[in-house]
Amino acid sequence: MTTDVRRARRWNRPLMFLVSVMAVLAVVAVVGILVDPRVLTGAPIWLKPFKFAVSFVLYGATLAWMLSLLPRRSRAVERAVVVIVAVAVVENAWIVGQAVRGQTSHFNDTTPLNTALFAAMGAAIMVLFFAHLVIGIVVLIKRIPDRVAHSAVGWGLGLSLLGMLAAVPMALPAQDPGIEGISGAHSVGVADGGAGLPVVGWSTTGGDLRIGHFVGLHALQALPILAILLSRFATRLDERTRARLVVVAGAAYGVLTVLLTWQALRGQPLLRPDGLTLVAVAALVVATVTAAGLVLARRRRPELALAA
């Protein structure tokens, strides 16, 4: 797996354009947080634009790097990338515009305009979802030559789709808080804007659907990082074993995403799990450790791999 950042100049240009624009937006949002005293749903009004900008910097840079590993170009991927960049720019423009207006960007039904724009943004996200899916399918078909990288990229792309789906319950009727002009919520069992963890704002008094959403999305970075660490520091393991360890980690990561969403849907704060949640976490840990142990037990010794 290559991690030479000097190759970044040759990475997908639309995605790197997106990264540059979002990096500038992140700086602007930081300035907004410092100079604009307005607060919305319990947080500085420019915090959401900042978080979305940083998220898209990570998303765009990671996806560009992943595509640089493909053995050859794909028109389908290039078209999907253009769609993703367009949706990302439109979504962030909407979020910034609402911050300037002093309005929430999500679940806002206070006026016909806000309702229509939020609905349009939801439709745009679905378009991004399918464009991302197209990229995942192409990556699986074309196969990255490095087996460890192929596993990490495939699982990262797939689990990030799961992370996107984890956000769907936020806009379902069950999440309607019964407040006029609001059609959904991040929190379960409590109102949005209450006590939350620093920076991320995840509720500390009720469930929060953003947790599973966040964890799932960042599989895009977590799995490749694991693959890079294995390639750098587990050189005594053969490539097939390292790839299998990535598969084990990917499966565990997916279950964790579902578990965190399940915990949130039960109105339970992340840091205050009940006995049932703790049992589920313990079972996941035991299953993951057991699976990893079985993979290591079946690994090929270096001398046998050379002889083969």
Side-chain angles (χ1 to χ4, degrees):
M1 288 182 75
T2 178
T3 57
D4 187 353
V5 295
R6 290 174 297 182
R7 297 181 60 200
R9 289 178 297 177
R10 301 194 296 274
W11 290 356
N12 185 278
R13 289 185 178 181
L15 285 172
M16 296 312 293
F17 166 77
L18 176 65
V19 169
S20 300
V21 171
M22 292 299 107
V24 171
L25 176 56
V27 173
V28 171
V30 168
V31 174
I33 292 171
L34 295 175
V35 304
D36 191 338
R38 292 179 297 168
V39 173
L40 193 62
T41 60
I45 201 166
W46 285 94
L47 183 58
K48 177 168 283 189
F50 172 75
K51 290 193 293 186
F52 270 74
V54 171
S55 179
F56 273 107
V57 166
L58 293 173
Y59 177 80
T62 306
L63 193 56
W65 168 73
M66 287 179 169
L67 297 183
S68 75
L69 301 178
L70 289 175
R72 56 188 181 277
R73 294 174 60 183
S74 164
R75 288 186 179 181
V77 165
E78 291 175 354
R79 290 169 181 168
V81 163
V82 171
V83 170
I84 288 173
V85 171
V87 170
V89 170
V90 169
E91 180 181 13
N92 281 274
W94 162 241
I95 292 171
V96 170
Q98 289 296 82
V100 171
R101 296 176 60 214
Q103 298 279 323
T104 57
S105 56
H106 289 66
F107 320 125
N108 191 337
D109 285 343
T110 53
T111 67
L113 175 62
N114 285 334
T115 300
L117 289 174
F118 178 56
M121 187 169 71
I125 293 301
M126 289 305 299
V127 172
L128 186 148
F129 176 91
F130 285 108
H132 185 98
L133 177 61
V134 167
I135 292 175
I137 293 172
V138 172
V139 167
L140 290 177
I141 292 173
K142 287 188 174 295
R143 296 196 65 85
I144 296 169
D146 185 307
R147 186 183 298 183
V148 184
H150 180 74
S151 295
V153 170
W155 277 91
L157 289 168
L159 290 173
S160 58
L161 286 172
L162 178 63
M164 294 180 195
L165 291 175
V168 172
M170 298 180 193
L172 295 180
Q175 279 299 98
D176 188 340
I179 302 173
E180 186 177 358
I182 301 178
S183 59
H186 301 124
S187 303
V188 180
V190 295
D192 281 352
L197 295 176
V199 183
V200 291
W202 298 336
S203 178
T204 55
T205 57
D208 200 311
L209 293 165
R210 290 174 294 184
I211 301 171
H213 178 53
F214 175 91
V215 171
L217 285 179
H218 290 289
L220 201 67
Q221 290 83 35
L223 273 299
I225 288 173
L226 172 63
I228 291 170
L229 292 175
L230 287 172
S231 297
R232 291 282 180 87
F233 301 109
T235 53
R236 292 183 62 84
L237 298 177
D238 62 278
E239 184 182 53
R240 182 171 61 179
T241 299
R242 282 183 272 123
R244 287 176 174 174
L245 287 174
V246 170
V247 170
V248 170
Y253 199 101
V255 174
L256 177 63
T257 301
V258 173
L259 194 157
L260 290 170
T261 304
W262 170 65
Q263 180 187 18
L265 286 170
R266 292 185 292 130
Q268 191 178 116
L270 174 67
L271 301 182
R272 289 163 52 192
D274 63 9
L276 185 59
T277 300
L278 289 175
V279 168
V281 171
L284 174 60
V285 171
V286 170
T288 303
V289 171
T290 301
L294 290 173
V295 169
L296 292 174
R298 296 178 59 188
R299 72 185 185 276
R300 298 170 67 184
R301 295 179 181 179
E303 58 271 20
L304 295 179
L306 289 174

